[in-house]
Amino acid sequence: GNPVACAVALANLDIFRDERTVEALQPKIELLESRLAEIAAMPGVAEVRSRGVMIGIDLGEHDPELRLGHRVTLEARKRGALVRPLSDVVVLMPPLSISEAELTDLLDITAESIAAVLASLPTPA
C-alpha cells in the first residue's frame, strides 16, 4: 500500500514492457539449460533444478559439518561471483538483465567452485 513502492512497481512494469524483458530471457534460458546439463553431469552433483533463471544445484547428502554449500559460496566469491547456499544446495538467481557473457561467466565460476570444493574433500577410507 505504500504509494512510492507502488509507483516504482508500475515504472518497472513499464520497463519490462518497453524493453521486452521477458522475451529477451529466452536465449538466456536456453543457454542455462545446456550449461546446467553439463553441471548436472559433474561428479558430486546430485541434481540440478531450475525454473526460468532460478537455479538450485544440489550437492547431495553430506556431513552437515562439511558445509559444502557455504564452501562453494566462498570459492565463487574468490573467483568474482556471488552465489547463495541453502545447506548443500547452491542457489543462482541472476538478474533478468544479465548478459549472455555474464551468465556464461557465472556458470563457469560456479562449476569451477563446485569442482574445487569437492576435490578438497578427504577421500573416504
Side-chain angles (χ1 to χ4, degrees):
N2 180 307
V4 174
C6 291
V8 169
L10 290 172
N12 274 290
L13 290 174
D14 289 341
I15 291 169
F16 267 55
R17 182 195 62 232
D18 297 345
E19 295 183 3
R20 304 178 64 102
T21 301
V22 175
E23 291 91 345
L25 283 176
Q26 253 345 99
K28 297 172 193 176
I29 292 170
E30 291 168 13
L31 170 65
L32 268 173
E33 288 172 354
S34 68
R35 290 299 307 280
L36 290 176
E38 296 169 16
I39 292 173
M42 292 175 61
V45 173
E47 181 183 16
V48 174
R49 298 179 293 275
S50 67
R51 174 73 69 187
V53 295
M54 298 183 297
I55 301 130
I57 303 168
D58 190 337
L59 302 176
E61 299 279 329
H62 295 278
D63 179 352
E65 290 187 22
L66 290 173
R67 301 184 66 205
L68 291 187
H70 178 70
R71 291 170 64 181
V72 169
T73 298
L74 296 177
E75 283 293 325
R77 191 175 303 157
K78 288 180 199 174
R79 291 169 165 80
L82 296 175
V83 300
R84 176 177 157 223
L86 286 174
S87 187
D88 289 336
V89 176
V90 177
V91 177
L92 306 177
M93 290 184 61
L96 301 181
S97 61
I98 193 168
S99 71
E100 289 184 38
E102 292 166 331
L103 190 54
T104 297
D105 288 344
L106 175 62
L107 295 168
D108 288 344
I109 289 169
T110 302
E112 292 165 7
S113 300
I114 291 169
V117 167
L118 294 174
S120 74
L121 294 178
T123 55

